[in-house]
Amino acid sequence: MITVTKPLSSPSPPLTQGVSMSDPKISLHPPKKILLGTDLSARGDRALDRAAQLARQWDAELLVVHALDRKAEHVSDLVDPLPSWRQSPSQELHIQKQIRRDLREEVAQLKIHIEEGDPAQVILDTAAREGCELIVLGMARDELFGRTLLGSTVEYLLRKSPVSVLVVKTRPNGSYQHVLVGTDFTEESRWGLEVAAHSFPSARLTLMHSFEMPYRALLSDSTLSHQFAAMERATIAEFVRDTALPEQVRARLQTTIEHGPPGLMLRRFVEEQHSDLTVIGAYGRGFLFHLFVGGNTPRIVDSVPGDILLVRAHREKAG
């Protein structure tokens, strides 16, 4: 069972105090350039709708990227050849029209980039060239019994992208209302909390620390158990106190500590508390990142329903 504590009521120190990853030279504003990588599939429409919603919410530029597969186009022409009196239509023009048609609402700053090449590399190269701060991707497809598959492109980008990646699983229904942030008390996860707080200041925000407790039987003594619980609460309170948060967010931030596998605890919270976005701040070497995309244990990105945002910490700060 998941228990959520009340918002922290301790006095908030000035944002310049504490061991925060924030720095005056590093802006915490929401992304101003969003890249959506799309394969034009039906499931990709969810990612398109979410990317467009975020672009409108943040007044950001939306860059839609699609990688062409010329081999597939050539095979299609061989199977269904065009008559001599018809000219081959421009595939690029057709794709641009489809993307604009699929957008449910207008996006003020919209660019469409179509390029031949490996999808993951095209996305990474374009993001670097255009200075994009967030990459939005959709799930590849559904298996039987509802299990979703990331696909090789999404897998690769989660591991290699130097900027944050949002994996969209569910159909958007307005802006994010309840954001769950996972933490392991590292500076990377602190940055994830700060980014979530500044990017979604009006959303309900919950911070969770979850771990499997060894030697649980040793805490059967009520006095020792109470002492350990008090230490846990003090640790998460100190973590929040030393994190740069807008005051309106700090006042209503909820925290919870769970004893169990992080992926399982995050999943149960999302299912029972109806969180629509889970945020993990991590780098490749971190424990949470390992649980997010790799290892032999069930991965957070697979097990947690709803959308997942992997926040890439600034390496110079995470060090």
Side-chain angles (χ1 to χ4, degrees):
M1 180 177 180
I2 294 175
T3 303
V4 181
T5 65
K6 295 181 180 179
L8 298 173
S9 56
S10 57
S12 300
L15 297 186
T16 55
Q17 295 181 2
V19 190
S20 172
M21 288 180 64
S22 295
D23 184 280
K25 298 178 182 178
I26 299 176
S27 176
L28 277 169
H29 67 71
K32 287 304 179 184
K33 282 195 174 185
I34 302 171
L35 185 151
L36 168 70
T38 180
D39 60 0
L40 304 179
S41 66
R43 174 163 285 276
D45 287 348
R46 299 181 180 186
L48 174 63
D49 289 347
R50 176 58 71 187
Q53 180 269 315
L54 290 174
R56 290 190 293 269
Q57 177 181 338
W58 293 333
D59 191 25
E61 178 183 323
L62 176 58
L63 176 60
V64 182
V65 175
H66 175 73
L68 282 175
D69 186 351
R70 293 295 187 187
K71 294 181 180 179
E73 181 183 11
H74 179 66
V75 171
S76 176
D77 289 342
L78 292 177
V79 174
D80 186 18
L82 291 171
S84 59
W85 45 265
R86 236 182 111 197
Q87 291 186 353
S88 176
S90 167
Q91 188 177 10
E92 289 85 348
L93 182 59
H94 173 74
I95 292 171
Q96 288 198 34
K97 288 182 178 179
Q98 178 179 338
I99 291 171
R100 294 181 184 278
R101 184 176 64 246
D102 290 343
L103 281 170
R104 301 188 181 190
E105 298 181 47
E106 290 293 328
V107 176
Q109 304 177 67
L110 174 66
K111 291 173 63 176
I112 300 174
H113 179 74
I114 301 169
E115 180 181 333
E116 183 178 355
D118 174 73
Q121 197 58 53
V122 168
I123 289 172
L124 288 177
D125 290 346
T126 306
R129 184 174 61 250
E130 297 289 335
C132 297
E133 302 163 88
L134 174 67
I135 295 176
V136 181
L137 305 167
M139 302 296 287
R141 65 182 186 276
D142 283 323
E143 272 190 332
L144 294 176
F145 309 112
R147 182 175 180 269
T148 53
L149 296 177
L150 287 178
S152 58
T153 298
V154 179
E155 292 259 10
Y156 183 85
L157 290 171
L158 282 172
R159 296 176 184 276
K160 300 297 184 181
S161 171
V163 300
S164 300
V165 178
L166 172 65
V167 179
V168 178
K169 298 183 180 181
T170 58
R171 193 172 302 282
N173 186 21
S175 60
Y176 289 120
Q177 299 299 311
H178 186 184
V179 178
L180 172 64
V181 182
T183 181
D184 55 4
F185 299 140
T186 61
E187 289 302 295
E188 292 94 335
S189 66
R190 187 190 305 280
W191 180 251
L193 174 59
E194 292 177 351
V195 169
H198 286 81
S199 298
F200 312 102
S202 62
R204 177 183 170 193
L205 192 64
T206 301
L207 178 68
M208 175 188 286
H209 175 62
S210 177
F211 65 101
E212 294 189 78
M213 183 188 302
Y215 312 114
R216 185 188 297 260
L218 295 178
L219 297 179
S220 58
D221 176 76
S222 59
T223 301
L224 184 59
S225 177
H226 289 161
Q227 291 175 345
F228 188 79
M231 182 183 68
E232 289 180 315
R233 291 193 297 271
T235 300
I236 199 168
E238 181 181 5
F239 180 81
V240 173
R241 186 181 65 244
D242 293 340
T243 301
L245 300 174
E247 291 307 315
Q248 70 272 21
V249 175
R250 186 185 298 276
R252 53 187 168 79
L253 174 67
Q254 293 182 318
T255 62
T256 179
I257 298 175
E258 304 303 329
H259 301 151
L264 176 60
M265 295 296 101
L266 290 168
R267 187 189 78 199
R268 286 180 176 174
F269 187 95
V270 171
E271 292 173 342
E272 297 174 17
Q273 300 296 320
H274 309 295
S275 173
D276 47 8
L277 176 65
T278 301
V279 177
I280 301 294
Y283 239 7
R285 66 176 183 276
F287 174 69
L288 272 181
F289 183 84
H290 174 75
L291 292 179
F292 191 91
V293 299
N296 296 321
T297 57
R299 305 181 310 174
I300 291 175
V301 69
D302 291 324
S303 62
V304 175
D307 297 357
I308 301 274
L309 173 61
L310 177 65
V311 175
R312 289 295 197 182
H314 290 273
R315 183 177 294 275
E316 65 273 17
K317 291 294 176 181

